[in-house]
Amino acid sequence: MHPLRSRSAIAVVALAAAVAALSTASVAQTPAADTPAAKPVRSIPYVSITGEDGRQRNYETNAIPLLFNRACFGWRMYLGGPTRTVSLTEVLTTSKPAEQVIAGPETEVSADKTKATTRMREVVQDGILQRSWCIIPGDPPGTYTYDITIDGEPRGEFVFCAIEIPDQNPNIDPRDLHCPNKFNSVERGRPYSLPKAS
């Protein structure tokens, strides 16, 4: 597996922005009494697949089809607040060893190739932070877990199922795959601190 931060991450943010823009436009044209409650921005696991036509499709799911050099998987976390840079620690753990892990100098891979720990500065853009990795030959089936720490605070866990696709069909919809821990993701809020007594 190897990290990807370009097109799939941008596509997911663009997709979220487009949905938000469309919902805002429809709200502006609807009388207040008929306006449905706005959907909250939330943290999600996602998968993107590049089809034979070169187009990328994005899915809100944690079922990863092991489509080599076509599928990517990642997380999007809503942190809110202004655009800023944060200190990110991302630990990706697989239940079986990967044959190879392609990563940059900010990533430390365990000797048994079941854990990749990435420490880096990342930009929170419009309140959102996200990252993804892409499937390469030799990535194992099984459970993949992301543990996310931001500015030294544990902020979330995303659990994925990596599922073998023998025919490597890129037209598969990952939402139709059986994943025993479907949407088993936890978001941790910032720790609450009591005001100091005077």
Side-chain angles (χ1 to χ4, degrees):
M1 65 190 76
H2 66 92
L4 174 78
R5 294 182 45 220
S6 57
R7 289 191 305 170
S8 67
I10 292 166
V12 172
V13 170
L15 179 64
V19 169
L22 287 173
S23 65
T24 303
S26 65
V27 167
Q29 298 170 358
T30 308
D34 298 333
T35 303
K39 268 189 165 180
V41 179
R42 57 198 171 82
S43 300
I44 62 164
Y46 67 88
V47 169
S48 62
I49 299 173
T50 302
E52 290 175 341
D53 59 359
R55 293 180 57 199
Q56 189 176 59
R57 299 180 317 272
N58 298 296
Y59 303 91
E60 183 179 324
T61 183
N62 64 337
I64 311 164
L66 290 176
L67 296 170
F68 309 125
N69 304 313
R70 288 191 182 272
C72 299
F73 63 101
W75 53 270
R76 182 186 77 194
M77 185 171 286
Y78 179 72
L79 301 174
T83 297
R84 64 199 183 278
T85 302
V86 296
S87 175
L88 168 70
T89 301
E90 174 196 73
V91 181
L92 173 59
T93 306
T94 57
S95 56
K96 298 175 186 170
E99 285 183 18
Q100 60 179 332
V101 179
I102 302 170
E106 66 280 348
T107 301
E108 178 185 327
V109 179
S110 65
D112 66 357
K113 294 186 181 174
T114 61
K115 186 179 289 188
T117 302
T118 303
R119 292 178 182 87
M120 62 192 310
R121 303 287 293 167
E122 276 289 331
V123 175
V124 176
Q125 183 74 37
D126 298 324
I128 295 172
L129 180 64
Q130 65 184 26
R131 279 186 41 90
S132 64
W133 289 71
C134 294
I135 299 299
I136 59 175
D139 283 349
T143 302
Y144 290 23
T145 305
Y146 281 113
D147 286 297
I148 313 301
T149 301
I150 299 169
D151 290 336
E153 298 173 358
R155 292 301 298 273
E157 176 184 72
F158 296 88
V159 181
F160 289 80
C161 303
I163 301 163
E164 291 180 316
I165 308 297
D167 64 358
Q168 291 292 293
N169 179 0
N171 297 318
I172 194 162
D173 186 329
R175 297 168 298 186
D176 295 335
L177 298 174
H178 174 68
C179 179
N181 53 4
K182 200 155 198 165
F183 289 104
N184 184 10
S185 300
V186 176
E187 183 175 354
R188 296 176 181 93
R190 295 185 70 99
Y192 176 75
S193 56
L194 296 172
K196 295 182 179 181
S198 48

